[in-house]
Amino acid sequence: MTRDELRAALLDCLSRIAPEVDLARLRPEQQLRDQVDLDSVDWMNFLVAVHAALGIDIPDVDAARLTTLDQLIDYCTARLR
Amino acid sequence: MIEFCLPSLGSDMDKGTLLQWRVKPGDTVRKGDIIAVVDTTKAAIDIECWHDGTVEALLIEPGAEVPVGTLMAVLREAGETAEHVRAQLEALRAPAAATAAAPLATQQPLPDAAPLSVEHGRATASPAARKRAAELGLGLEGLSGTGAGGAITLADVESAASKARAPNRAEAMRQTIAAAMSRSKREIPHYYLADDVPLAAATAFLADRNATRGVNERILLAPLLLQAVARALQRYPEFNGSFQNGAFVPGTGIHVGVAIALRTGGLIAPALRDVPGKDLDTLNRELLDLVQRARAGSLKASELADATITVTSLGDQGVGSVFPIIYPPQVAIVGFGRVLERPWVVNGAVKPTPLVTASLGADHRTSDGHRGGRFLASVRDLLQQPAELAKAL
């Protein structure tokens, strides 16, 4: 899976959790939860959606330090390798 | 004959616009099936039917705005004939015929920004269009016609009415919240209490439980907080219910409304039903589902109608405490702030401890501060026994 495909897959997961968000305006290097205003329930739903879409089960300890879209893409790239 | 009426959609929503029927005449319906989608100022709501039956007739057209309680469809019960239902329906309609000419819907004026052509002089319109426009309270002079010679047709009137109805959801929701909160502050003599609750036991319990679990089974803190409130309500039932016609009406069950802030503005507080009877895994799963559906705009009518208390958690990414305002006609609301590690004295020594500030806004007509304090202390004590909270009662 290329980086662009991974980005698209992650954004697709996000759009299902937060359908009202304008994904085009997301800054990949900035804090995701601040930009999208995700609460803990949204964040958990996002992690569940990522697991369903990519088969990656992100543990709590890892999820806590994944704060930007870029970091998520890097992390998933490494996990899929 | 089963009469299917527009159910209550919560105290602050007294009407809805039918968006679509999910059934057609002849369809078999089971209790709990969603049979219509109705738009409100807050969200599009799935409306369930609470009887088994066969759809006999749909009485409301999509696009119509109707008040709560309006007869929308009739269903045939098992063993009942279509003729019997028809006869009953006719009998039901007969007394209403005298008032049938009254418009069903209260229309809002056309928004200024509506892209409609302005014509001078008397508009040309078909008699049917003229009659319908009068019913709807729409002026013909603002409408553009698609009929012969630019005449305004019935379809043009319906189309303009639909545009006028197209809700500016954010604005409509603001008005709905304004009405509910104004009523709350005008009618309900609130008192407020707050207490710091140590969460060392709860967070350790969840960390231990989640350590070996996949993401699909991981438990959040929120359902544990909701369960603590629900179990405390079993001991202090005067905080669970509503204030109606000058008296407290106890809730029939403990249905906890969860305040969900919408990113498009406003909030909605659908209920998790019968919370004490659910184990933590069930409650967690239902909460995740409820929030996701609230965001996607697919809540059910029953979830919006019957909360017996509300819980608001403003602290997830924000503040340390909240002074919550009661959602009428309920009589209490519990708030939780952000979980923070703070100095806490345990056995004579200061120890960094995760704490949350729990607060209560309660109706002084139905309870007093002393009992409110006991209720909040009960929430605190229950959270020190997380393993017990995790079990279904």
Side-chain angles (χ1 to χ4, degrees):
Chain A
M1 192 177 256
T2 67
R3 199 175 168 82
D4 280 348
E5 287 169 342
L6 205 48
R7 177 195 307 273
L10 289 170
L11 288 179
D12 184 55
C13 292
L14 192 59
S15 71
R16 266 177 279 152
I17 307 311
E20 68 281 34
V21 169
D22 182 1
L23 297 175
R25 296 180 64 178
L26 271 188
R27 300 282 299 271
E29 75 289 358
Q30 291 186 2
Q31 300 266 336
L32 188 60
R33 290 182 65 176
D34 281 352
Q35 291 184 80
V36 186
D37 195 11
L38 297 174
D39 64 20
S40 59
V41 174
D42 296 328
W43 181 243
M44 183 56 75
N45 273 328
F46 175 68
L47 296 179
V48 170
V50 169
H51 180 244
L54 301 171
I56 303 173
D57 192 331
I58 306 178
D60 264 350
V61 281
D62 290 347
R65 60 183 176 77
L66 297 175
T67 59
T68 71
L69 186 59
D70 277 344
Q71 288 171 351
L72 271 164
I73 295 170
D74 291 342
Y75 178 86
C76 291
T77 305
R79 285 285 302 271
L80 287 174
R81 210 171 274 150
Chain B
M1 181 178 77
I2 299 160
E3 296 177 25
F4 174 76
C5 300
L6 182 62
S8 167
L9 304 165
S11 65
D12 55 356
M13 285 181 271
D14 54 5
K15 62 192 174 194
T17 301
L18 178 64
L19 290 181
Q20 67 170 120
W21 285 109
R22 289 281 187 83
V23 292
K24 57 185 186 308
D27 284 357
T28 304
V29 173
R30 299 211 167 278
K31 184 180 174 185
D33 282 357
I34 291 157
I35 73 169
V37 184
V38 167
D39 205 17
T40 70
T41 56
K42 285 198 166 183
I45 309 295
D46 293 336
I47 311 285
E48 310 109 306
C49 182
W50 294 110
H51 300 276
D52 292 345
T54 305
V55 179
E56 181 60 39
L58 305 177
L59 308 175
I60 304 291
E61 292 285 326
E65 185 182 58
V66 294
V68 165
T70 302
L71 181 63
M72 296 178 72
V74 288
L75 286 78
R76 208 161 60 227
E77 291 177 79
E80 202 177 14
T81 64
E83 290 69 31
H84 185 245
V85 173
R86 294 263 164 210
Q88 281 194 303
L89 184 59
E90 287 308 315
L92 205 64
R93 278 174 160 174
T99 55
L104 273 174
T106 316
Q107 296 301 327
Q108 295 169 350
L110 282 170
D112 292 342
L116 299 172
S117 69
V118 178
E119 294 178 11
H120 299 287
R122 191 168 185 272
T124 315
S126 72
R130 201 171 288 284
K131 177 168 177 285
R132 182 68 179 139
E135 284 174 1
L136 294 169
L138 275 177
L140 286 175
E141 54 282 354
L143 305 190
S144 54
T146 57
I152 297 162
T153 65
L154 181 60
D156 294 332
V157 172
E158 295 289 3
S159 162
S162 150
K163 276 183 196 152
R165 198 185 295 121
N168 179 340
R169 177 60 57 66
E171 191 180 313
M173 182 179 278
R174 197 70 260 150
Q175 286 174 2
T176 301
I177 294 169
M181 292 299 100
S182 299
R183 177 185 162 195
S184 179
K185 280 285 182 172
R186 190 171 57 242
E187 295 180 3
I188 304 177
H190 286 66
Y191 67 88
Y192 301 98
L193 306 170
D195 195 23
D196 286 336
V197 178
L199 288 180
T203 52
F205 171 80
L206 290 179
D208 183 50
R209 199 176 169 108
N210 287 338
T212 54
R213 290 179 163 215
V215 69
N216 290 321
E217 298 173 311
R218 230 172 277 159
I219 308 290
L220 293 166
L221 177 63
L224 208 53
L225 300 176
L226 293 172
Q227 187 61 280
V229 170
R231 299 275 168 90
L233 285 172
Q234 292 184 310
R235 301 177 191 178
Y236 297 91
E238 66 263 48
F239 298 95
N240 186 62
S242 56
F243 189 83
Q244 293 177 40
N245 303 320
F248 174 64
V249 181
T252 53
I254 295 177
H255 313 312
V256 180
V258 182
I260 300 168
L262 301 176
R263 280 179 282 269
T264 46
L267 77 157
I268 197 159
L272 291 167
R273 295 178 54 84
D274 297 312
V275 172
K278 287 172 177 160
D279 64 30
L280 197 56
D281 287 323
T282 305
L283 205 52
N284 190 70
R285 195 169 53 245
E286 290 190 0
L287 177 67
L288 292 181
D289 176 59
L290 191 72
V291 172
Q292 187 157 357
R293 285 190 296 108
R295 303 246 184 260
S298 65
L299 291 170
K300 297 173 193 161
S302 58
E303 293 168 328
L304 283 170
D306 55 10
T308 52
I309 189 168
T310 298
V311 171
T312 181
S313 179
L314 275 188
D316 190 40
Q317 301 232 67
V319 296
S321 59
V322 49
F323 308 95
I325 299 169
I326 296 166
Y327 180 47
Q330 294 166 26
V331 296
I333 180 167
V334 174
F336 291 102
R338 182 156 53 123
V339 180
L340 280 171
E341 193 149 271
R342 284 186 276 163
W344 191 251
V345 178
V346 183
N347 298 327
V350 177
K351 191 179 175 194
T353 302
L355 297 171
V356 71
T357 301
S359 51
L360 170 71
D363 188 335
H364 225 322
R365 296 172 300 183
T366 60
S367 68
D368 299 316
H370 174 72
R371 291 287 287 178
R374 296 283 299 270
F375 167 62
L376 217 44
S378 176
V379 172
R380 181 192 63 209
D381 294 344
L382 284 159
L383 281 166
Q384 308 316 306
Q385 311 284 334
E388 292 304 311
L389 282 182
K391 298 176 196 159
L393 281 187

